[in-house]
Amino acid sequence: MDSYELTDVKYSGKNKCKISTRETYYVQVAGKPLQLMTQECTYVLEKNGNDWEMTSFADIKVTDRINQ
């Protein structure tokens, strides 16, 4: 992972939320040029005691790919 940012947080009650992010990765696939990939993701989290735990990926969408 090269970088990430939180783009949105939505709570449904005090023990569950969805967090949206924009993430940038360098991806190397055998036989192909290095790629810089940006994706937007939404994660579902639930509170367990004092900790927040990710329970699922709600959505992943690749928004950009740049070949190096």
Side-chain angles (χ1 to χ4, degrees):
M1 178 179 286
D2 182 56
S3 66
Y4 73 94
E5 64 180 298
L6 297 178
T7 56
D8 193 32
V9 178
K10 293 184 180 171
Y11 289 88
S12 54
K14 64 179 182 176
N15 294 321
K16 191 170 186 178
C17 71
K18 284 187 180 180
I19 296 177
S20 299
T21 64
R22 184 174 296 114
E23 304 169 356
T24 304
Y25 295 89
Y26 284 100
V27 179
Q28 182 69 58
V29 177
K32 295 190 177 185
L34 183 65
Q35 297 179 12
L36 182 63
M37 180 182 73
T38 302
Q39 63 186 27
E40 294 176 352
C41 302
T42 303
Y43 303 97
V44 177
L45 289 90
E46 290 187 21
K47 195 167 186 180
N48 183 5
N50 291 327
D51 300 322
W52 286 92
E53 297 177 355
M54 184 172 51
T55 58
S56 68
F57 292 102
D59 186 37
I60 298 174
K61 180 174 90 174
V62 175
T63 59
D64 196 22
R65 285 185 193 264
I66 299 171
N67 291 329
Q68 303 287 313

